[in-house]
Amino acid sequence: MDVSCSRNYPVVMRPVDIQPIGDELALKWDDGSEGFIPLEKLRRACPCAGCKGEVDIMGNLHIGPEIKLAPASFQLRRLDWVGTYGVKPVWGDGHASGIFSFEILRALAEPVA
């Protein structure tokens, strides 16, 4: 009896280094490429349910009241790794519920020319 499981998972690029530099997040990827994400852009792209809303079982998107962002909202206090697939920023205003997958980071990053 063959009990092996073979699947073709997509290859996910992973960052080998992530560092805040000034008002940007610098990323170095395992393919050798590099990119930068302005911190304001990163915060405004927060994928958490509080920022982007969430979909109910019927497919309806529910979004809470607009969140007013202050200057502290764009100050990165800490960046926590989440498993092997993403990171969770902790912002100066205390917001810390957004988990950014590596795919999201790659899409947001502006490549180094």
Side-chain angles (χ1 to χ4, degrees):
M1 174 165 68
D2 183 8
V3 293
S4 63
C5 181
S6 176
R7 292 190 182 172
N8 293 324
Y9 291 103
V11 175
V12 176
M13 274 199 230
R14 301 188 186 290
V16 294
D17 194 17
I18 302 177
Q19 298 289 325
I21 299 175
D23 63 349
E24 296 182 309
L25 189 66
L27 301 112
K28 183 171 184 177
W29 298 93
D30 58 5
D31 70 349
S33 64
E34 297 178 358
F36 292 90
I37 305 172
L39 294 179
E40 182 173 343
K41 179 179 180 180
L42 186 68
R43 175 60 191 269
R44 291 188 186 281
C46 180
C48 81
C51 292
K52 294 292 185 226
E54 56 188 329
V55 178
D56 67 18
I57 195 163
M58 301 302 290
N60 300 308
L61 177 64
H62 298 276
I63 301 175
E66 183 179 342
I67 299 168
K68 301 289 184 194
L69 300 176
S73 303
F74 307 113
Q75 296 171 354
L76 184 62
R77 296 289 180 221
R78 191 174 77 236
L79 196 64
D80 297 333
W81 289 84
V82 178
T84 59
Y85 67 93
V87 295
K88 180 177 74 164
V90 177
W91 298 99
D93 63 358
H95 185 68
S97 57
I99 297 174
F100 290 80
S101 69
F102 298 148
E103 290 87 358
I104 292 173
L105 291 176
R106 185 75 176 195
L108 290 172
E110 299 167 4
V112 175

